[in-house]
Amino acid sequence: MNNMDLIKQIPEMLSGKELYERLADIPAYDETIREKSQTERLMALSTLYDIYLPSEMSVEIYSKLYLALLRSLQKKGTHAAVQQLYQNHKTIMQRESRGIIGGSDSFSIVGCSGIGKSSAINRAISIITENKMIEIENPPVRIIPCLIVQCPFDASVKSLLLEILRKSDELLETNYYGNALKARATTDVLIGIVAQVALQHLGMLVVDEIQNCVVAKNGKYLVAMLTQLINTSGISIGLIGTPETTSLLETAFQLARRSLGLQYNTLSNDEYFSGFCELLYKYQYVQKYTEITPQIIDWLYEHSGGVTSIVVSLIHDAQEIAILTGYETLDVVMLNQAYNQRLQLLHDFIRPNVTTKPTRKKKKTIHAENQTDTYTISTLVQKSKDENLDIVPLLQEYFTVEEVKL
C-alpha cells in the first residue's frame, strides 16, 4: 500500500478566512417569519441550535485533527505497520505480542461541557474528510478517515471495543462485530482484532465522553486498554472529555504522554462572545423586533457563565415563552423568565455577578420646629429631586442596597 495515494485523497489544509468560512454554519433568516403563525414561528425557532460561529478553539481543533490524520495515513503500508500486523495477529491467537508502531501522535481535547467541543470536532472532520471514505484500487483498500465513538457510561472495556467494531462494519460493510460475537472473543482477543481493523481501515479514532472513566470502577481498565490500543493500532486516537479527564490523564503517565493536547475553559466576555450573542439575537421569531444592547450581552454572560450552549438555550426559551404568552418581545424580562423557569437546575453552576454593598442601617433625623422625622425612601427621593443628588448613593447611606448587574 502506497501511503502517498492515501494522503492525496485528503483535501489541502485550510487556514485564515477560507477556514473560518468553511467552519461557520449561518442558516438563512427571513424577517417575514415574524409575521407567520405561532406554530410556524415556534417550529422555525429551533434554527438557533443550527448556528455555529467558529472561534480560536475551532481552528485549533481543526489543525490538530488534520495533522493527526495525516500522521496516521503516513504510517499505513510502512515496514513498521506490516510488523505490527503480525504482532496483532499473535494477540488474536492469544500469544505474547508487543507494540511496535507506537502512538505518540495521539491527543486529548479537554474542555467544559457546553462550550462546543463536539460541534467543533464534527465541523472539522466534515471539512477534512468531505464526508468521504478513502479508497484506493491497487491494492483495494477502504479507510474510514475518522471514527467517533462514545466511552460507555460504565467504562466497560468490552463494550467500547465492540462498539468500534460495530461502527466500522456499518461503514466498511464488513462483519468484524458479528464474527467477534460468534467467537465469544475475550477482551484480550478483542484488543487484537480492533488494533488490526484500525491499522488497516481507520485513519483516526475519537473517543468522546472519556470522563466516564473517572467515576466508573472499570475506569482504570479502560485506560490501560486505550494505552495498549494506542501502542498497537498505529493510528491517532483522540480522547475528548470534560476537565475531570485531566486527573485521569495525570495519574496514568503512559497515557498522559501519549495524549498531550488542547484544554479549554468557558469563554471570556470578549469580542467573540459579543459577536456570538449579536448573531443569535438577529434570529428573532417574536412579532416585535428589538436590538441587542451591551447591557443584554453582559446579562447573557453573567447568566450563562460563558457557556455558549446556555446562551443559545436562554435566547431560544425566552422567545418561546414570549410567543406562547403573547408578550412577543425578546428582552431582559423574557430572558429572566427563561433563566428562572427553564434553567433552574443550572443555577448552582451559574452564579450571576451580584454585587452586594452591605452598610449599617442608619436613621437620621430632621429637626424642624422641635419635631423629629425619620428618613423614609419617599423622603430621600424628594431630597434627591430637591437637591439634584444621585439617588443610589443617597439610599446606600441609610439602607442596605443590593445592586444586580444587568
Side-chain angles (χ1 to χ4, degrees):
M1 183 193 307
N2 186 346
N3 53 24
M4 289 304 298
D5 291 335
L6 300 176
I7 294 171
K8 287 178 182 177
Q9 296 196 42
I10 304 177
E12 288 188 10
M13 191 172 182
L14 303 176
S15 62
K17 183 180 179 181
E18 184 180 5
L19 176 58
Y20 271 94
E21 290 176 350
R22 290 287 302 277
L23 285 171
D25 189 356
I26 313 296
Y29 172 74
D30 185 354
E31 291 184 359
T32 60
I33 186 64
R34 301 202 308 275
E35 301 170 5
K36 303 290 184 181
S37 68
Q38 185 184 81
T39 302
E40 289 177 289
R41 289 184 287 130
L42 287 171
M43 291 176 64
L45 187 56
S46 60
T47 303
L48 282 169
Y49 291 106
D50 298 330
I51 298 171
Y52 185 75
L53 184 67
S55 62
E56 282 188 26
M57 178 184 73
S58 312
V59 175
E60 289 176 349
I61 288 176
Y62 167 83
S63 300
K64 176 65 76 174
L65 293 175
Y66 188 98
L67 295 174
L69 176 59
L70 186 65
R71 286 191 291 267
S72 288
L73 294 179
Q74 287 172 341
K75 295 179 185 179
K76 304 291 185 187
T78 61
H79 181 65
V82 174
Q83 285 184 305
Q84 190 63 63
L85 285 170
Y86 175 70
Q87 293 297 323
N88 292 342
H89 180 71
K90 289 172 66 176
T91 300
I92 295 171
M93 301 305 295
Q94 302 184 56
R95 299 202 300 267
E96 186 178 349
S97 62
R98 60 194 177 94
I100 294 174
I101 200 164
S104 59
D105 48 3
S106 293
F107 60 93
S108 63
I109 300 176
V110 176
C112 301
S113 179
I115 62 172
K117 300 186 304 296
S118 297
S119 297
I121 291 168
N122 289 327
R123 294 292 300 166
I125 289 173
S126 67
I127 295 172
I128 295 169
T129 66
E130 294 183 340
N131 297 317
K132 297 178 182 177
M133 295 279 286
I134 296 175
E135 300 184 55
I136 58 174
E137 296 181 359
N138 190 23
V141 175
R142 300 185 77 209
I143 294 177
I144 303 168
C146 182
L147 187 70
I148 303 177
V149 294
Q150 282 204 355
C151 176
F153 72 94
D154 59 353
S156 167
V157 174
K158 198 165 187 176
S159 295
L160 180 59
L161 292 169
L162 287 171
E163 180 65 4
I164 293 171
L165 294 179
R166 187 189 68 79
K167 284 204 165 186
S168 298
D169 284 343
E170 286 181 357
L171 298 169
L172 296 169
E173 299 179 354
T174 51
N175 196 32
Y176 292 111
Y177 176 78
N179 292 337
L181 289 180
K182 287 179 183 178
R184 297 182 180 178
T186 64
T187 301
D188 289 336
V189 171
L190 280 173
I191 292 175
I193 296 172
V194 170
Q196 206 79 318
V197 172
L199 196 53
Q200 296 180 83
H201 298 294
L202 295 185
M204 178 169 51
L205 175 67
V206 172
V207 183
D208 202 358
E209 306 295 344
I210 197 68
Q211 72 274 1
N212 291 342
C213 292
V214 178
V215 294
K217 64 179 181 179
N218 295 320
K220 62 180 180 180
Y221 300 113
L222 193 139
V223 168
M225 181 275 289
L226 286 172
T227 304
Q228 184 176 345
L229 194 60
I230 286 172
N231 286 332
T232 58
S233 66
I235 65 171
S236 299
I237 297 181
L239 307 178
I240 317 300
T242 56
E244 292 88 346
T245 308
T246 305
S247 62
L248 173 72
L249 298 177
E250 288 174 346
T251 56
F253 174 74
Q254 286 185 322
L255 186 60
R257 72 183 181 86
R258 288 170 172 81
S259 56
L260 298 175
L262 308 173
Q263 293 192 31
Y264 300 100
N265 294 314
T266 55
L267 296 176
S268 300
N269 192 0
D270 55 13
E271 185 177 349
Y272 172 80
F273 184 82
S274 297
F276 180 73
C277 293
E278 289 167 1
L279 175 63
L280 287 176
Y281 221 78
K282 290 177 181 178
Y283 288 76
Q284 292 190 27
Y285 299 87
V286 290
Q287 292 176 345
K288 303 170 187 175
Y289 187 87
T290 56
E291 296 287 345
I292 195 169
T293 64
Q295 291 74 24
I296 289 177
I297 292 174
D298 289 341
W299 187 97
L300 287 168
Y301 184 79
E302 299 295 346
H303 291 75
S304 68
V307 178
T308 52
S309 63
I310 297 179
V311 176
V312 176
S313 295
L314 280 168
I315 294 178
H316 174 279
D317 289 6
Q319 292 196 66
E320 185 176 80
I321 294 170
I323 293 171
L324 291 172
T325 59
Y327 188 81
E328 294 294 353
T329 304
L330 176 59
D331 57 15
V332 173
V333 175
M334 287 296 104
L335 288 168
N336 263 311
Q337 280 202 34
Y339 178 76
N340 292 322
Q341 295 177 13
R342 304 289 181 88
L343 272 68
Q344 288 182 352
L345 295 178
L346 297 178
H347 286 190
D348 288 341
F349 304 96
I350 306 169
R351 301 188 181 279
N353 183 21
V354 177
T355 304
T356 303
K357 297 182 179 179
T359 56
R360 188 163 52 91
K361 290 186 179 181
K362 302 177 182 178
K363 286 186 179 180
K364 285 196 173 183
T365 57
I366 301 175
H367 297 285
E369 298 180 355
N370 298 322
Q371 189 177 15
T372 301
D373 295 328
T374 302
Y375 272 113
T376 64
I377 291 178
S378 59
T379 307
L380 293 174
V381 170
Q382 188 60 48
K383 180 180 176 66
S384 170
K385 291 180 179 178
D386 294 341
E387 301 181 20
N388 196 25
L389 298 174
D390 190 339
I391 187 61
V392 174
L394 195 58
L395 288 171
Q396 287 175 337
E397 189 176 348
Y398 300 91
F399 301 97
T400 299
V401 178
E402 186 179 80
E403 292 184 60
V404 179
K405 186 176 181 181
L406 294 179

